Every structure is written in C-alpha cells, then in structure tokens.
Amino acid sequence: MSDDLAIYHATVLSNAEIAPEHRVMRMSAPEIAARALPGQFVMVRALGTADPLLPRAYSVYAADPTAGWIEVLYRVVGNGTRRLELYEASQKVHVWGPLGNAFQAPQGRAILVGGGVGIPPLSFWAQHLAGSDAEVVTLIGAATERFLVGLDRFRESGSRLETATDDGSAGHKGYVTDLLDRWLDAGPATVYACGPMPMLRSVARIVEARGVPAELALEAPMACGVGACLGCTVPRREGGYARVCTDGPVFAATAIAW
Ligand code: FES
C-alpha cells in the first residue's frame, strides 16, 4: 500500500445532480486534494451501513489543493450509488486515495476521447493541461444528448470540443471514435481515452494502426483498490495479467490484450 495513501471520514460538501442519473459529490479531503493527479482514483464507501459492504472506485473528477476538496462524478445505477445519492452536505463518507497511476504529458496535441462514465479523469486532465502549452481536443460520446455530461468543464478549460451520439440527438451521429481519424490526420498527437471497453478497444485499434501514442484509463470492478483482491485484472499483451488498481488504471494502448 502506498505511503502516500490518505484515509478519511470525509465531510460531504455538496452532492448535486448535474444531469439525469448523474451527480457530482464534492468532499473535504485536503491530503488527497494536495496529491491527486489526473487518471488517479479514490475508493469511497458509505459509512454506518453494511449494504453495500464493499467500497467503490471513482476517478477523481476535480481537485482543489488550496480549498482542500476533491470531486467524483457518478451515475446512479446500483445499490452503492443509490446510497451515495442520498448523502447531503455535512454528512461523512469513508474515502481513501489517491490510488493508481496518472496520465503523462502529451507529445503534440492532446486528444481526449471519452464515453459513458469515462468523463471524470479526462475532465481533470483537461483542467490540468489548461495551464500548459498543449492544445487540447476533446471528443465525447454518449447514447443520447441527455447523457452528454460535464461538457462545460471542457469548454471552460479552453479545450476544443466535439460530441457524438448514437441517436444523432447531438453532434455526430455514430461512434465517438468516428471523430478520431480527422484529428489524427491534423498532426502529431497523444490520445487519452476512458470509457466502455468496446470504445477503448476501438481507440486502441485506431492508434496502433497509425503508431500514435495513447494512454487508456481502464475501469474494472474494484473491491480493495490496493492490489490485494485480484478482482480487477486484465490480460496483458505480453502474457499474464495486470491489476487495474495498482498497475493502472492508465495503460499504454499497446500493453493490453484487447
Ligand atoms: Fe483489489 Fe485491484 S481492486 S486487486
């Protein structure tokens, strides 16, 4: 376990709905806020209940080291997130982190590709890169317009933004990966992606065919977050398995056996 790991009964500062089924929880966690980097995650567990017993992993959506808070963005889909949804300001949750590795600086333009609940680490990365020389392009996909969440933060960071929806209700009608080739034609770039496995597989296929460097933030069920339970493994291309929690969650696209 990392010496840098901070464990808290963190005070919830806000827990606001930002779109249907999507909420952002801000919590006071100064030591995590001081160290969290884009791509890293925290484990969060409701206090005072055994249901659900296990914590869940959430990518850090934003962190303010000065004010001492972090945010996670979550979709309300199961018992754990339905319990989290009920939290109000001043209540406490159990949180520990930051965990895992982080994105590395881009070579050339940074192209961020996100789908589903893969937005949080990319949004944090876009905010981080806003203070650098890197040009940032963000491509976000969702099933339909109402599930395109968190776009304002990408705009506020100065990123160019394009969207895709399966039903054509906003942006390009089709897959978000359909938008990638044109930007890869436009010059040297590093791709960063987070989202459902089929989307990541598609990104990996595209960047490998072009020899473009890419870092993909994987999601996996995580019971411990610190390498102990082996519940989060994915097959490595070179053989064997990687733990998403401690070997990732950020991997080179070429590292995984897709
Ligand atoms: Fe337990 Fe990764 S979550 S080993």
Side-chain angles (χ1 to χ4, degrees):
M1 191 177 295
S2 166
D3 291 340
D4 291 337
L5 189 66
I7 304 174
Y8 281 97
H9 285 177
T11 302
V12 174
L13 300 175
S14 59
N15 189 20
E17 185 177 65
I18 61 162
E21 301 175 18
H22 291 78
R23 303 180 83 88
V24 172
M25 177 179 281
R26 178 179 293 186
M27 56 198 109
S28 177
E31 291 177 42
I32 299 176
R35 293 202 295 269
L37 295 169
Q40 292 189 297
F41 65 96
V42 294
M43 300 295 287
V44 180
R45 178 166 53 194
L47 279 170
T49 175
D51 175 26
L53 188 62
L54 297 175
R56 284 195 49 175
Y58 297 92
S59 289
V60 178
Y61 181 44
D64 186 329
T66 306
W69 54 253
I70 61 168
E71 287 180 339
V72 298
L73 186 164
Y74 62 98
R75 184 171 182 186
V76 182
V77 286
N79 279 350
T81 47
R82 271 197 285 276
R83 188 168 290 279
L84 217 54
E85 179 185 23
L86 301 177
Y87 271 78
E88 297 176 353
S90 83
Q91 292 186 285
K92 290 187 185 299
V93 291
H94 192 188
V95 55
W96 59 102
L99 295 160
N101 60 1
F103 294 128
Q104 300 299 308
Q107 302 164 34
R109 178 184 286 126
I111 303 177
L112 283 47
V113 185
V117 288
I119 306 305
L122 300 177
S123 180
F124 193 15
W125 191 216
Q127 293 160 41
H128 197 83
L129 290 173
S132 75
D133 293 337
E135 181 192 357
V136 181
V137 173
T138 303
L139 312 175
I140 300 294
T144 189
E145 182 174 19
R146 72 192 183 101
F147 291 138
L148 286 170
V149 302
L151 301 187
D152 285 350
R153 292 206 182 173
F154 290 105
R155 293 192 187 98
E156 288 162 14
S157 73
S159 169
R160 292 179 185 227
L161 180 64
E162 293 184 4
T163 58
T165 50
D166 295 349
D167 63 1
S169 53
H172 167 73
K173 181 177 182 180
Y175 295 127
V176 66
T177 46
D178 297 343
L179 303 171
L180 190 50
D181 273 318
R182 184 168 57 83
W183 284 105
L184 294 178
D185 287 341
T190 302
V191 173
Y192 304 87
C194 187
M197 277 304 226
M199 188 205 87
L200 294 181
R201 196 176 295 123
S202 176
V203 170
R205 206 173 288 134
I206 292 168
V207 296
E208 280 200 68
R210 289 169 161 267
V212 172
E215 296 186 355
L216 311 187
L218 270 56
E219 295 171 340
M222 292 193 196
C224 74
V226 293
C229 72
L230 303 183
C232 65
T233 56
V234 291
R236 286 185 191 273
R237 186 170 297 182
E238 65 189 21
Y241 289 85
R243 287 169 294 193
V244 173
C245 62
T246 50
D247 299 317
V250 178
F251 292 89
T254 51
I256 304 300
W258 299 101

